[in-house]
Amino acid sequence: MSKNICFIDGLEGILKYRDVDINELIDLPYDAVSYLLIRGELPGKQELAEYSARLHAERGINREVMDIIRMCNLNIDAMEALRTVVSFISQFDPDLNDNSQEGNMRKAIRLIAVVPTIVAAYYRTANGKEPVPPDPSLSHGANFLYMIKGIKPDPLEAEIMEKDFILSAEHELNASTFSSRVTASTLSDLYSAVVSGLCTLKGPLHGGARAEVMTMLEEIASPENAEMYVLEKIKKREKIMGFGHRVYKTYDPRGTIFKQLSRRLAEVKGDMRWYSIAEEIENNVIRELVEKRGKPIYPNIDFYSGVIYKYMEIPPQLATSIFAIGRISGWIAHCFDQYEKKRIIRPRIFMLDEC
Ligand code: ACO
């Protein structure tokens, strides 16, 4: 198996999963990228067909799970419901405490397959609608949109959702992946490790930034207001959501792809409003923070993805959970790596000063 689950060059803006550049992966099905991350190499045609068939067969949720979803507070962020339900379903998995490679692979497939169904079922229930059962003939992205909206998705929107899951799938030792790895390092089960990742991804400095970007776009409302907004934020020394990154000190390659996709979507829809607001924010941030103050603050993955959700009419309450649907393959790849090490992660307190 290739050693690097992920490679990032934060100065050059390069991202690779298992040594394959993100720009080469972006047109593949999510299932192929998920396989690459977990198994270490891209699947052949037959392997992909088998992996997809196993994923598609595990998408359903049982009545007990639906009961728990209905018992959730229907005004919470979908991430909170997802965290609760993933924890709840672990008890039904016959392999829960089987940490063999085979047992872990079976759990991995069930988790990757079922997480989109949980998110969509919660979303529809919270909006007073009946859940839509998964369609095994659809791709990961298309099926998710179908389960949210209840109609077969527009092909461009389905393509963009698939790419969103790919771009969100893995990013080295970010905060949520670190959490998952710490849990796996104790030899706790894969569900627990995924719940740890979900809890950490939720924060607004991590996956939660995407929802904040959507709120910011609404607040700015028109491209003419973007400059004032950015100047005010800088004056108050507040963070502008969707900008900056601990590792990238140049353009985030995922952000660049999301920007192209959001422009394409805006043009096809004949509505440049959200894209233009975002571009104005970006231009002002680059001028004020990068050019005038020399700070390497560029759009990150959450910025133009927030624009895409505005066009696809995906509410902010779903934004972080969509990130989680993509990221789960990356968490699992790291957990598998950690299980092989059989060594607990236990940093000393002074190491935290470097964070
Ligand atoms: N807007 C304005 N200024 C910023 C921003 C921003 N988004 N990000 C960093 N800065 C400034 C800080 O104010 C600080 O300035 P100072 O040195 O004058 O005090 C400097 O840049 C360094 O900032 P830190 O917060 O120390 O950078 P760090 O690497 O710790 O944080 C982080 C990275 C958390 C992503 C930060 O840039 C941020 O909070 N961004 C906004 C939230 C966001 O978009 N998060 C999503 C990140 S991607 C992901 O997790 C999926």
Side-chain angles (χ1 to χ4, degrees):
M1 189 182 282
S2 157
K3 273 193 184 147
N4 292 326
I5 299 172
C6 184
F7 169 84
I8 305 171
D9 184 331
L11 295 178
E12 295 294 327
I14 296 170
L15 170 63
K16 295 179 182 178
Y17 299 166
R18 301 279 189 195
D19 299 341
V20 188
D21 193 281
I22 191 68
N23 291 293
E24 289 172 38
L25 295 172
I26 195 65
D27 292 323
L28 297 178
Y30 175 79
D31 294 354
V33 176
S34 168
Y35 185 104
L36 169 72
L37 286 167
I38 290 172
R39 308 293 289 251
E41 55 195 1
L42 280 167
K45 214 173 157 190
Q46 183 63 26
E47 289 159 328
L48 177 60
E50 282 168 18
Y51 186 65
S52 291
R54 286 180 72 188
L55 283 171
H56 296 193
E58 296 282 0
R59 283 177 175 167
I61 50 180
N62 62 23
R63 186 151 17 101
E64 287 84 350
V65 177
M66 263 324 296
D67 288 345
I68 290 293
I69 289 175
R70 288 194 195 96
M71 272 156 55
C72 286
N73 178 337
L74 299 179
N75 296 311
I76 54 178
D77 190 290
M79 268 307 260
E80 281 143 18
L82 179 59
R83 178 190 60 194
T84 304
V85 176
V86 171
S87 193
F88 177 79
I89 59 171
S90 65
Q91 65 189 301
F92 300 115
D93 196 317
D95 296 308
L96 178 61
N97 289 312
D98 175 358
N99 268 2
S100 67
Q101 269 186 5
E102 300 74 28
N104 275 335
M105 182 53 87
R106 287 192 293 273
K107 279 179 282 191
I109 286 173
R110 290 183 196 121
L111 275 159
I112 295 165
V114 84
V115 157
T117 314
I118 296 168
V119 173
Y122 172 75
Y123 172 68
R124 289 194 58 97
T125 306
N127 285 284
K129 295 178 183 160
E130 274 303 306
V132 174
D135 180 340
S137 73
L138 295 176
S139 71
H140 213 59
N143 176 57
F144 177 65
L145 284 178
Y146 170 62
M147 290 190 296
I148 292 183
K149 301 197 175 194
I151 48 167
K152 292 281 157 67
D154 164 79
L156 176 60
E157 293 194 6
E159 182 195 326
I160 290 177
M161 189 48 67
E162 192 83 356
K163 290 182 177 2
D164 184 329
F165 291 151
I166 291 169
L167 293 171
S168 307
E170 163 57 19
H171 213 231
E172 207 208 45
L173 208 55
N174 58 85
S176 56
T177 302
F178 186 62
S179 289
S180 291
R181 279 195 86 126
V182 170
T183 303
S185 84
T186 69
L187 302 186
S188 185
D189 68 280
L190 197 57
Y191 284 84
S192 300
V194 167
V195 172
S196 298
L198 290 169
C199 294
T200 308
L201 185 69
K202 177 175 172 268
L205 294 188
H206 193 13
R210 203 172 284 196
E212 307 256 350
V213 167
M214 299 179 72
T215 309
M216 171 173 72
L217 293 170
E218 297 239 337
E219 203 181 319
I220 295 177
S222 158
E224 302 81 67
N225 302 331
E227 181 173 19
M228 178 77 88
Y229 180 93
V230 170
L231 294 178
E232 275 293 303
K233 282 275 181 193
I234 293 172
K235 200 167 136 198
K236 291 189 200 154
R237 301 186 68 82
E238 287 174 6
K239 298 266 178 76
I240 299 148
M241 287 293 139
F243 285 86
H245 199 275
R246 177 60 63 82
V247 180
Y248 292 116
K249 299 304 165 196
T250 184
Y251 284 93
D252 177 336
R254 303 165 302 171
T256 305
I257 297 172
F258 268 127
K259 182 174 181 179
Q260 291 158 0
L261 292 172
S262 65
R263 185 178 182 104
R264 207 171 128 205
L265 195 55
E267 285 170 353
V268 167
K269 291 200 178 275
D271 169 13
M272 299 306 289
R273 178 179 173 210
W274 302 115
Y275 180 83
S276 303
I277 297 172
E279 207 172 40
E280 270 306 295
I281 300 171
E282 181 187 345
N283 292 342
N284 279 283
V285 170
I286 299 291
R287 190 189 65 238
E288 293 299 321
L289 291 180
V290 182
E291 292 168 6
K292 289 192 187 166
R293 291 168 177 79
K295 293 184 184 184
I297 311 287
Y298 296 87
N300 59 45
I301 183 171
D302 290 318
F303 189 59
Y304 282 99
S305 52
V307 177
I308 283 171
Y309 297 170
K310 291 301 296 171
Y311 285 114
M312 286 169 51
E313 296 178 359
I314 290 172
Q317 292 78 7
L318 275 181
T320 319
S321 55
I322 294 177
F323 200 154
I325 293 173
R327 181 56 57 87
I328 189 168
S329 294
W331 289 334
I332 289 170
H334 280 270
C335 290
F336 283 9
D337 190 53
Q338 194 60 47
Y339 284 134
E340 274 180 26
K341 290 187 166 53
K342 294 192 172 48
R343 189 139 202 272
I344 195 164
I345 297 174
R346 202 293 193 194
R348 298 296 306 277
I349 193 81
F350 61 82
M351 291 179 178
L352 295 177
D353 291 343
E354 291 167 18
C355 292

